[in-house]
Amino acid sequence: MQKNLVIVESPAKAKTIEKFLGSDFKVLSSYGHIRDLKSKGLSVDVNNNFKPNYAISPDKAELVKNLKKEAKGSQMVWLASDEDREGEAIAWHLAVVLGLNDNDSKRIVFHEITKNAILHAIENPRRIDLNLVDAQQARRVLDRIVGFELSPILWKKIMPSLSAGRVQSVAVRLIVEREREINQFNAEGFFKVAAVFILPDGKTVIKSELNRRFSSEKEANAFLDQLKNAVFTVEDINTRPAKKSPAPPFTTSTLQQEASRKIGFSVSQTMSIAQRLYEAGLITYMRTDSLNLSTLALNAAQKEIQEEFGKEYVKIRQYHTKTKGAQEAHEAIRPSYMNNRTIKGTVQEQRLYKLIWERTIASQMADAELERTTVTIGISTRPEDKFLTTGEVIKFDGFLRVYLEDTDDENQENATEEILPTMQVNSTLKLDEALANERLTQKPPRYTEASLVRKLEELGIGRPSTYAPTISTIQNRGYVIKGNKDGEEKKFVNLKLKNQEITKTTKNETVGADKNKMLPTDSGMVVTDFLIENFPNVLEYNFTADLEKEFDRIAEGEVKWTDTLHKFYNLFHPIVEKVETERFERRVGERVLGTDPKSSKPVSVKIGRFGPFVQIGSADDEEKPQFASLPKSLSIETITLDQALKLFGLPRTVGEWEGKPIVASDGRFGPYIKYDTLNVSIPKGYSPHTITVEEAGKLIQEKRAQEAAKYIKAFPEDAKLQILKGRYGPYIVYDKANYAIPKTLEKNPVELSYDDCMKIVKEAGDKPKKKMVKRGRK
């Protein structure tokens, strides 16, 4: 009989831990949860105090059988799953399924996978914390109830295959509300004035900005006119010391945000890489809302800073989290060994580790000491207005030597730190030029994955373990996409005063464009509106945050998890029953856009079984209504009557070219033109509604050139046989199926005979490379 069996969640973690324990220990992995609520039905007995109906996952049956055998043959089983609520639940399920008790099993936890941490955990085991288990059960059961009861209503009232989740639906609401804020935002123009002055030495120049803005071109022009005869005097020079302090070490949410800003990682990508680093023993546990660092880590950081930068760069700090209910772990995310500045691994792993190392080290470094100078320049003809020039000098770089936190503020102007030349109060400056440039007030920014995490954390919605799954889920369900928004071209006026003359120029700029932002889909908007109207509590921010606090109280042993479930269910279920039987006057999400001028029938837009569509007429008409799918470029929320009617103009005959018709249409892959046997994508900048014969002809010629470039050889013996040039080299096409040319073949493809090709086809048998698929767009 073996002495000790250690069970962890992942094989990578098992492999790392096994290095630290002797031959008396065997380490195995449970590969995450071994059982969960049954996938079919509610699997929760609401009439029996919300008793969950758990089942072992079919794909884990063999694994569980092996774990049972190993546990039976061991003197002691050590349950070493992660130290958060999910990890505690995994340990509890293992104990129940494997039939373990306090005599033959122990629970151990650690927040880093190092030899000292593992041995310390073995020396200080504890029992499974049932309060943490209950908190996890409460969340799991409540979320199952919400999803199970809400989803069928969405199928019935809106469209099939929709689903709702407690935290996910609130996250979608945030994105929907922000999109509507942006759509309703009216940008206002203003003029910003900047000037270049020449100092008394006649050579040195400084740039300065006016301390006010003008709302119209007329006002800006009048101001510049008053500068022509003005005297500019240095009225004040204010120099003051300033300090910058480092950001605290990473929590889960701040790591996700900063990795997005600095490295461009998605939230799920960050967590996946961090998990690998943790399991390899390189960083501490990555699901945490604690800012605390252990004494050991602080001492190691101090040593590193002192050796690398000097004693004056050290300032040991202990940060404290402001997050209510912080409980997921005992330390912030930090390197396991502070003296490991670099690691071996993938490029992504190295980049994330570097970020964590720098942030941790910087958090224990001295403040940066700065000197900020503001020069105020008076205008004799406009005494109420001032030009301001600012400069910043770093006197001592401190933590800036290593790291500076990024920001999500897209409207923040990156002021360059510059040293201002020596100036004297009351000295007179000469105006070289003044510029009044038109700008627009900025719309609210759309969410990125990182800024959405920050907002959820601010509202107290979700916990470190739920941010990444929430963001993945809302995208997988099609309620939100991460995409781009085209901007709008605007004409801006620029006024310039130079040599006593004001000149005016105009410049076209694209404004409002967005890249890689969280955008709500039509179904996301419709579902959000439906849930807000019928289930306001489920979508209410405070209600969702209060539930998180309730889970925290369960984890602390302050309330019973079943009491929380009863309270929620008694509020939630009666609303479900009411909405289920309620009849709606109009289809959920439907918008009536107006009347079709040709038929005088109503034109509406709505969500259907296969997505959003426009309808002319109604089901009650004698004549069958006309339907047109909504392209991705249009939204139920903003489509106009004119845009909707244009959708019924496709397919459209553009005209004839070389004696054959050109037809413009819209397909699954976007707009395209059909000409003879060719399907040609219509690129951005052209519309299927307005493209001309000349424009289409040019696209057809380009397509022909592409087709000709890939053509290698045809055979008079059989028109169905060709040799073509593909992305991965030459290949054979026979009867609309593709066949790879063997690499062992010594002949050049051009030299292949009809018999050579047919032999290759025959030898491939019934397994062609792939079938050719005709598409509306390639």
Side-chain angles (χ1 to χ4, degrees):
M1 178 181 276
Q2 68 187 30
K3 287 187 177 180
N4 299 282
L5 173 67
V6 181
I7 304 177
V8 296
E9 297 102 320
S10 77
K13 190 174 171 183
K15 194 176 176 184
T16 307
I17 290 173
E18 211 157 28
K19 296 176 190 172
F20 306 132
L21 299 172
S23 56
D24 287 345
F25 289 83
K26 185 171 186 177
V27 186
L28 294 177
S29 168
S30 69
Y31 291 83
H33 278 280
I34 57 165
R35 68 174 189 168
D36 193 5
L37 294 174
K38 282 188 175 179
S39 55
K40 287 186 179 178
L42 177 60
S43 296
V44 175
D45 190 347
V46 293
N47 299 314
N48 187 16
N49 216 21
F50 297 95
K51 185 181 178 183
N53 185 2
Y54 291 116
I56 294 168
S57 311
D59 60 331
K60 296 286 179 75
E62 197 59 38
L63 173 73
V64 169
K65 187 179 174 184
N66 184 50
L67 288 175
K68 279 182 177 178
K69 181 184 171 186
E70 293 288 347
K72 197 174 181 182
S74 303
Q75 293 176 17
M76 180 62 65
V77 178
W78 304 82
L79 300 170
S81 48
D82 291 339
E83 61 177 331
D84 58 8
R85 294 171 193 171
E86 209 67 35
E88 206 69 23
I90 288 173
W92 177 73
H93 282 294
L94 281 166
V96 172
V97 171
L98 303 183
L100 306 175
N101 57 50
D102 290 343
N103 297 322
D104 57 14
S105 69
K106 289 176 182 177
R107 172 83 171 113
I108 55 171
V109 294
F110 37 85
H111 57 268
E112 62 182 344
I113 305 175
T114 60
K115 187 170 185 177
N116 287 342
I118 302 302
L119 295 179
H120 183 265
I122 295 282
E123 288 165 10
N124 298 275
R126 62 169 173 81
R127 292 184 177 183
I128 291 171
D129 188 334
L130 293 177
N131 291 329
L132 291 180
V133 174
D134 287 345
Q136 189 272 346
Q137 281 197 117
R139 179 190 290 278
R140 184 73 187 95
V141 170
L142 192 146
D143 286 349
R144 171 61 72 90
I145 290 169
V146 170
F148 187 80
E149 299 211 342
L150 275 189
S151 297
I153 292 176
L154 297 180
W155 304 341
K156 186 179 174 184
K157 307 290 183 183
I158 303 176
M159 64 181 280
S161 303
L162 293 176
S163 58
R166 184 180 55 86
V167 176
Q168 295 94 319
S169 297
V170 175
V172 175
R173 178 183 178 178
L174 281 168
I175 294 163
V176 167
E177 287 182 345
R178 178 56 57 86
E179 193 67 22
R180 285 176 176 157
E181 266 185 81
I182 292 165
N183 290 339
Q184 290 162 15
F185 182 80
N186 289 319
E188 294 177 2
F190 64 90
F191 283 79
K192 193 175 176 180
V193 180
V196 177
F197 292 104
I198 302 172
L199 269 56
D201 66 3
K203 296 181 292 185
T204 311
V205 297
I206 60 165
K207 293 176 183 177
S208 197
E209 277 193 15
L210 191 68
N211 63 351
R212 64 169 292 189
R213 293 172 175 181
F214 298 104
S215 57
S216 69
E217 181 186 340
K218 186 180 177 182
E219 285 180 7
N221 199 82
F223 174 77
L224 292 184
D225 197 52
Q226 284 183 285
L227 295 186
K228 288 178 181 178
N229 301 312
V231 176
F232 303 95
T233 309
V234 176
E235 292 184 347
D236 182 51
I237 300 173
N238 184 337
T239 300
R240 65 192 190 281
K243 282 186 178 181
K244 273 185 185 173
S245 297
F250 282 129
T251 61
T252 301
S253 69
T254 54
L255 176 64
Q256 290 168 347
Q257 291 166 52
E258 197 72 340
S260 173
R261 299 181 196 120
K262 283 188 181 290
I263 318 176
F265 287 172
S266 69
V267 167
S268 58
Q269 191 179 10
T270 297
M271 292 313 290
S272 173
I273 297 164
Q275 177 102 26
R276 296 203 296 269
L277 292 175
Y278 167 67
E279 289 174 349
L282 298 169
I283 64 169
T284 53
Y285 191 53
M286 66 286 153
R287 293 189 193 95
T288 176
D289 45 18
S290 171
L291 297 173
N292 182 46
L293 291 177
S294 67
T295 306
L296 192 70
L298 293 174
N299 292 338
Q302 181 175 354
K303 186 184 175 190
E304 278 302 303
I305 297 164
Q306 211 161 311
E307 286 179 1
E308 179 67 18
F309 308 109
K311 198 172 183 179
E312 69 276 18
Y313 280 87
V314 177
K315 186 177 179 181
I316 297 302
R317 297 172 172 86
Q318 192 58 276
Y319 298 87
H320 299 285
T321 182
K322 293 176 184 174
T323 307
K324 290 182 180 178
Q327 45 71 42
E328 297 290 355
H330 305 299
E331 265 200 272
I333 302 168
R334 62 164 176 83
S336 300
Y337 306 97
M338 295 304 300
N339 59 336
N340 281 357
R341 297 182 191 185
T342 57
I343 59 161
K344 290 179 181 177
T346 65
V347 172
Q348 290 179 328
E349 287 167 356
Q350 288 175 6
R351 291 178 77 189
L352 192 66
Y353 180 85
K354 182 174 182 280
L355 194 68
I356 294 167
W357 187 88
E358 288 175 348
R359 175 83 164 221
T360 310
I361 284 289
S363 75
Q364 302 307 315
M365 290 178 74
D367 294 336
E369 294 174 14
L370 316 167
E371 187 177 83
R372 289 188 180 131
T373 301
T374 304
V375 178
T376 305
I377 301 165
I379 310 161
S380 63
T381 54
R382 299 274 298 210
E384 71 278 15
D385 296 324
K386 310 291 177 190
F387 277 104
L388 300 176
T389 299
T390 58
E392 187 174 272
V393 179
I394 297 175
K395 293 291 189 180
F396 173 65
D397 54 4
F399 76 93
L400 293 176
R401 188 89 173 261
V402 173
Y403 184 89
L404 178 63
E405 186 178 33
D406 277 7
T407 174
D408 283 322
D409 188 357
E410 297 173 357
N411 302 325
Q412 179 176 300
E413 294 181 11
N414 296 320
T416 55
E417 295 170 351
E418 56 178 327
I419 302 172
L420 294 179
T422 303
M423 285 178 272
Q424 302 296 325
V425 174
N426 296 327
S427 61
T428 302
L429 308 180
K430 182 186 174 185
L431 179 68
D432 181 42
E433 64 177 28
L435 304 166
N437 295 329
E438 187 182 14
R439 306 310 308 153
L440 287 174
T441 51
Q442 296 291 309
K443 60 180 171 54
R446 288 185 172 91
Y447 287 108
T448 60
E449 287 192 356
S451 61
L452 182 61
V453 166
R454 188 179 66 194
K455 187 65 179 177
L456 290 170
E457 187 179 38
E458 279 174 15
L459 293 170
I461 295 167
R463 286 295 181 261
S465 58
T466 65
Y467 299 135
T470 296
I471 287 171
S472 294
T473 300
I474 62 178
Q475 292 178 76
N476 293 339
R477 288 180 177 171
Y479 292 149
V480 171
I481 59 166
K482 192 159 65 172
N484 305 334
K485 272 278 182 182
D486 292 335
E488 197 180 341
E489 198 166 87
K490 292 273 186 186
K491 189 178 281 186
F492 289 94
V493 173
N494 296 325
L495 302 174
K496 182 177 182 179
L497 171 62
K498 180 89 172 176
N499 300 326
Q500 298 296 90
E501 187 184 342
I502 297 172
T503 55
K504 174 183 172 179
T505 56
T506 57
K507 185 181 177 184
N508 288 338
E509 284 183 38
T510 301
V511 296
D514 265 327
K515 205 171 182 182
N516 244 5
K517 296 295 174 68
M518 307 291 277
L519 307 170
T521 61
D522 284 326
S523 57
M525 286 185 159
V526 170
V527 168
T528 297
D529 288 344
F530 177 78
L531 292 176
I532 288 173
E533 188 179 341
N534 296 284
F535 298 90
N537 281 348
V538 176
L539 270 284
E540 217 275 311
Y541 300 131
N542 288 338
F543 179 78
T544 310
D546 287 343
L547 268 175
E548 294 293 347
K549 292 174 191 170
E550 197 75 1
F551 296 147
D552 294 341
R553 292 181 67 206
I554 295 166
E556 293 296 324
E558 293 173 13
V559 292
K560 287 185 178 179
W561 74 278
T562 49
D563 290 349
T564 298
L565 266 293
H566 278 293
K567 193 164 66 174
F568 172 81
Y569 193 74
N570 292 340
L571 173 77
F572 176 69
H573 187 67
I575 304 172
V576 171
E577 291 181 318
K578 176 178 172 287
V579 176
E580 229 170 1
T581 56
E582 205 171 7
R583 292 194 62 156
F584 296 94
E585 193 177 319
R586 189 178 287 153
R587 193 189 198 107
V588 175
E590 181 177 355
R591 271 182 71 218
V592 177
L593 303 176
T595 306
D596 175 25
K598 290 180 183 175
S599 64
S600 299
K601 290 181 179 179
V603 180
S604 57
V605 61
K606 58 190 83 175
I607 291 264
R609 188 179 190 86
F610 302 106
F613 65 94
V614 178
Q615 178 177 316
I616 297 178
S618 65
D620 302 331
D621 294 344
E622 286 182 23
E623 218 176 323
K624 191 179 175 184
Q626 291 177 268
F627 304 100
S629 294
L630 220 64
K632 287 180 181 178
S633 56
L634 296 174
S635 164
I636 280 184
E637 186 97 349
T638 55
I639 188 173
T640 63
L641 178 62
D642 286 344
Q643 288 172 325
L645 291 172
K646 277 183 182 176
L647 298 176
F648 293 90
L650 296 178
R652 163 183 161 255
T653 301
V654 179
E656 280 199 0
W657 192 70
E658 295 182 353
K660 292 178 181 175
I662 299 172
V663 177
S665 191
D666 203 357
R668 183 182 167 196
F669 300 98
Y672 68 99
I673 49 177
K674 185 166 182 62
Y675 176 76
D676 198 14
T677 58
L678 288 178
N679 285 342
V680 186
S681 292
I682 297 176
K684 205 172 176 181
Y686 296 97
S687 165
H689 301 285
T690 57
I691 193 167
T692 64
V693 172
E694 292 73 24
E695 290 166 340
K698 187 181 174 187
L699 294 175
I700 291 165
Q701 284 178 324
E702 288 171 1
K703 181 73 173 180
R704 280 176 173 171
Q706 288 172 11
E707 294 288 322
K710 73 175 187 179
Y711 176 85
I712 295 175
K713 191 173 183 179
F715 297 88
E717 295 96 326
D718 193 336
K720 292 182 290 184
L721 182 68
Q722 288 180 316
I723 302 176
L724 301 179
K725 188 187 293 179
R727 186 178 172 188
Y728 303 106
Y731 65 98
I732 293 168
V733 177
Y734 180 68
D735 198 18
K736 296 183 180 180
N738 298 344
Y739 298 86
I741 295 173
K743 290 179 181 177
T744 52
L745 205 68
E746 293 180 4
K747 283 186 180 180
N748 187 306
V750 182
E751 297 170 356
L752 290 174
S753 65
Y754 173 78
D755 291 338
D756 292 332
C757 291
M758 292 310 296
K759 184 181 177 185
I760 291 169
V761 170
K762 190 177 178 183
E763 286 175 355
D766 296 325
K767 294 182 181 179
K769 182 181 166 187
K770 65 175 182 179
K771 276 279 181 186
M772 293 176 73
V773 179
K774 283 191 177 180
R775 296 181 174 180
R777 184 183 180 190
K778 290 186 180 178

